[in-house]
Amino acid sequence: MKKEYMMYAMTLGLIGDAINEMIDAVEVKSPEGVKRAAKLFSSVATTMKEETPPDIFAIEHQELVEAFTLWNVANKQATAMRSENIVEAASAALNKHEGFLVIIMDRIYEKLRN
């Protein structure tokens, strides 16, 4: 596999880590965890925007940046809520955006395998 593909796959790992952190925070109903995850999301969103993917992934990367940005906005809105509503709002954002991100990432991983 080309080195540039491997480096891009490592960047995708950051997204997976961010998704897992949000899932964990929502599952344990932790407002503090949601706030931590939202900060991670912001960092990952910036990294994704700055990333120049290999040409073969350009379309999927743009879709991924857009989807991740929308989820990041939803997470920021969640963390701006009163403490008792943060987890519920983050859970709703997770349910709305996670599936789309996973579909895009699956298409990228399929290209990586081929």
Side-chain angles (χ1 to χ4, degrees), residues 71-85:
W71 194 3
N72 192 34
V73 168
N75 285 325
K76 285 181 179 179
Q77 290 170 344
T79 58
M81 297 181 147
R82 294 175 40 198
S83 291
E84 61 270 12
N85 298 328

Side-chain angles (χ1 to χ4, degrees), residues 42-114:
S42 184
S43 172
V44 172
T46 299
T47 298
M48 290 303 298
K49 287 177 187 175
E50 294 172 353
E51 180 77 17
T52 302
D55 289 341
I56 191 171
F57 305 118
I59 293 169
E60 289 85 359
H61 180 80
Q62 186 57 40
E63 291 173 353
L64 200 55
V65 167
E66 290 169 10
F68 206 83
T69 299
L70 289 173
W71 194 3
N72 192 34
V73 168
N75 285 325
K76 285 181 179 179
Q77 290 170 344
T79 58
M81 297 181 147
R82 294 175 40 198
S83 291
E84 61 270 12
N85 298 328
I86 289 174
V87 174
E88 291 80 11
S91 179
L94 178 68
N95 291 336
K96 181 177 181 182
H97 298 283
E98 178 189 19
F100 189 56
L101 282 168
V102 170
I103 289 168
I104 298 166
M105 289 175 67
D106 283 347
R107 289 187 1 234
I108 293 170
Y109 287 131
E110 186 62 32
K111 283 185 177 183
L112 281 169
R113 283 191 286 268
N114 295 326

